[in-house]
Amino acid sequence: MEATADLTNPIFTDEDAAWAHYEGLRWPEGAICPKCGSVGNATRLANKTTRRVRKLKDGTEKVAEWTRRGVHKCKDCGSQFTATVGTVFEDSHIPMHKWLLATHLMCASKKGMSAAQLHRMLGFGSYRTAWFMAHRIREAMAERGAVQKLGGEGSGGIVEADETYHGKVENPSEFTTKGHKFRRSKHGAGPSNKRAIIALVERGGKARLFHVATANRVSVERIVRENVEKSARLHTDESRLYPRVGAEFKAHERVKHSRGEYARGDVHCNTAEGFFGVFKKGFAGVYQHCSEKHLHRYLSEYEFRFNTRTKLGVNDKERAALALQRTAGKRLTYRQPKDA
Ligand SMILES: [Zn+2]
């Protein structure tokens, strides 16, 4: 059985244990000074509690108290820093054990977790705080920088490509790029006015998801070219988006859904379709109101869980540890909400 969340672990309740856990993952070789880069040559300073009393207009006092934890002082350059410098947790007033709990919950839930659900389970802050935390954790999950192409050595060499449409676009266009008026289905929304998602899935391996404004030959070809090794076999359905780019690969094999064909030998797109199934089921149930501009963040979340799935030998604890390690070196896009 899959290792389940051991929520009795002190890292989820005790702030010092939480910091020690995070530092261990972030700095396996010892504290790294963000200013001069020296490794394992810093002293940990004692926790420091600050108390501030503010007199309000009505004569009452408002007391604020906070403790600075995890502060290290570099013996080489003298600068002070914590393990959260340069991570998605930087500048946050949210206690570390809450970050660890939120990360664990999001990594362990197969279909994702809404901000409302997270808010209830964390038992603190506001809905906005939970929303902010969830987005920062998604940012940690996202793969950034130079990522390996799919279908390379050791992967089995088959990459399935498929596209799906999910949720309405916010600014539907009335006309195609050729100037024809879109024909609507009887429900009023054809694929052209739905959010297009492209999936590339390595058979038995990793997936990559992309939200594109329009799934056309230009956008699809660019994604396939940039993300798939030329030595791979490309498997798609009979969509007209793939043959031209498909010719650049070792093979391009298509299943003909229109003829009721879903697999021919090892040629199929069942992995990609199965993945879309999980995504749609989870997404529709958990994140009904995701705005289009945030869609790529949710895609990162599903991609991350798929790429660290139990079948690949990763358990909940290891998945959460990986997400925590990836908190480093990420661009920060959200400000801390005032009520956090
Ligand atoms: Zn230093």
Side-chain angles (χ1 to χ4, degrees):
M1 205 188 125
E2 191 181 351
T4 45
D6 174 18
L7 297 177
T8 59
N9 191 322
I11 62 167
F12 300 128
T13 48
D14 180 84
E15 194 58 1
D16 287 321
W19 272 96
H21 179 74
Y22 184 67
E23 286 166 4
L25 289 170
R26 176 109 165 73
W27 293 329
E29 317 287 331
I32 303 167
C33 171
K35 197 167 177 201
C36 74
S38 90
V39 181
N41 198 25
T43 331
R44 168 190 275 283
L45 304 182
N47 293 342
K48 193 177 157 199
T49 302
T50 312
R51 194 165 186 270
R52 190 167 291 164
V53 183
R54 202 154 53 100
K55 276 226 161 67
L56 298 178
K57 272 183 188 158
D58 60 5
T60 57
E61 286 182 342
K62 196 180 175 190
V63 184
E65 202 178 85
W66 65 94
T67 303
R68 271 202 93 192
R69 286 169 211 270
V71 179
H72 287 66
K73 187 173 180 184
C74 176
K75 286 188 202 164
D76 287 325
C77 73
S79 69
Q80 292 188 11
F81 58 92
T82 71
T84 60
V85 172
T87 75
V88 299
F89 297 162
E90 190 172 4
D91 298 330
S92 151
H93 303 303
I94 294 161
M96 182 58 80
H97 70 275
K98 296 290 185 188
W99 277 119
L100 299 191
L101 182 58
T103 305
H104 196 105
L105 291 170
M106 284 179 68
C107 285
S109 72
K110 292 212 164 45
K111 292 180 186 167
M113 189 165 271
S114 69
Q117 223 176 334
L118 198 59
H119 177 212
R120 279 196 301 275
M121 294 194 74
L122 288 170
F124 90 115
S126 61
Y127 172 83
R128 257 169 62 77
T129 307
W131 184 91
F132 157 86
M133 291 176 81
H135 270 320
R136 286 228 173 165
I137 292 165
R138 279 181 198 111
E139 182 62 25
M141 290 172 164
E143 216 158 1
R144 296 265 185 268
V147 283
Q148 251 189 334
K149 285 185 176 181
L150 300 174
E153 229 171 294
S155 73
I158 297 175
V159 177
E160 300 174 24
D162 201 5
E163 69 284 348
T164 195
Y165 299 90
H166 186 76
K168 280 185 191 163
V169 296
E170 266 139 43
N171 299 303
S173 60
E174 289 298 317
F175 298 94
T176 66
T177 44
K178 287 184 179 155
H180 304 304
K181 199 159 169 57
F182 274 125
R183 250 183 277 164
R184 301 265 183 251
S185 73
K186 60 182 173 207
H187 307 293
S192 45
N193 282 316
K194 291 192 130 192
R195 302 171 186 179
I197 300 165
I198 314 286
L200 298 175
V201 188
E202 249 171 17
R203 185 76 51 80
K206 299 199 167 182
R208 230 164 262 172
L209 292 172
F210 306 85
H211 170 42
V212 288
T214 321
N216 55 26
R217 227 187 252 174
V218 175
S219 60
V220 165
E221 288 183 351
R222 183 183 52 79
I223 288 169
V224 172
R225 217 171 263 138
E226 283 174 4
N227 291 279
V228 183
E229 287 288 354
K230 290 287 187 284
S231 59
R233 292 163 64 197
L234 189 67
H235 286 183
T236 67
D237 59 18
E238 60 218 303
S239 158
R240 289 184 303 182
L241 298 171
Y242 303 99
R244 202 165 68 183
V245 70
E248 298 172 18
F249 294 86
K250 183 183 171 188
H252 175 210
E253 292 148 301
R254 307 158 81 192
V255 281
K256 298 198 168 62
H257 288 179
S258 61
R259 285 193 213 154
E261 180 188 61
Y262 287 88
R264 189 177 63 248
D266 69 347
V267 180
H268 62 80
C269 331
N270 297 344
T271 327
E273 282 165 18
F275 180 63
F276 279 143
V278 173
F279 169 74
K280 286 188 173 182
K281 227 162 123 188
F283 204 81
V286 181
Y287 303 125
Q288 298 116 327
H289 307 297
C290 149
S291 70
E292 195 175 1
K293 74 171 184 196
H294 293 307
L295 179 59
H296 69 283
R297 298 176 190 283
Y298 294 89
L299 294 181
S300 297
E301 180 190 338
Y302 279 87
E303 188 184 285
F304 174 78
R305 271 195 304 264
F306 183 81
N307 291 346
T308 56
R309 62 194 182 274
T310 317
K311 257 194 188 161
L312 297 180
V314 185
N315 66 33
D316 286 354
K317 210 174 150 186
E318 290 162 337
R319 192 176 306 119
L322 185 65
L324 290 171
Q325 280 167 334
R326 286 206 194 161
T327 53
K330 295 283 166 74
R331 189 172 48 96
L332 301 176
T333 40
Y334 290 99
R335 277 182 200 286
Q336 171 100 0
K338 283 206 178 76
D339 51 12

